Amino acid sequence: MRADLTRTRQVLFNLLSNACKFTEDGTITVTVRAAADWIAFEVADTGIGMTESQQARLFQAFAQAEASTTRKYGGTGLGL
């Protein structure tokens, strides 16, 4: 695998931190699959989830979570 180790580590840390923050009681599953040319990391949890409108904004630059979510769970809402 060729990758920026620091960035890969940070992305996985952010995904797992979010899963932990928003899963008060439940499970978090991390799956890693390798193929010939790529590696897939999957994080699944039983946390509060996201609405469709939140999912649509997920990878837009500087999009923030709703204020009520950041007040309740802390952080800036910019983790991903």
Side-chain angles (χ1 to χ4, degrees), residues 23-56:
T23 304
E24 292 180 19
D25 183 28
T27 60
I28 299 168
T29 304
V30 179
T31 305
V32 180
R33 291 182 287 123
D37 297 16
W38 52 272
I39 296 175
F41 298 94
E42 297 177 15
V43 178
D45 63 66
T46 57
I48 64 172
M50 298 173 70
T51 65
E52 286 188 30
S53 65
Q54 289 170 326
Q55 290 176 29

Side-chain angles (χ1 to χ4, degrees), residues 57-79:
R57 296 181 302 127
L58 186 60
F59 294 107
Q60 292 177 1
F62 306 111
Q64 282 186 281
E66 295 174 10
S68 61
T69 303
T70 56
R71 274 195 305 275
K72 181 174 180 180
Y73 294 96
T76 61
L78 295 172

Side-chain angles (χ1 to χ4, degrees), residues 6 8 20 45 51:
T6 301
T8 302
C20 291
D45 63 66
T51 65

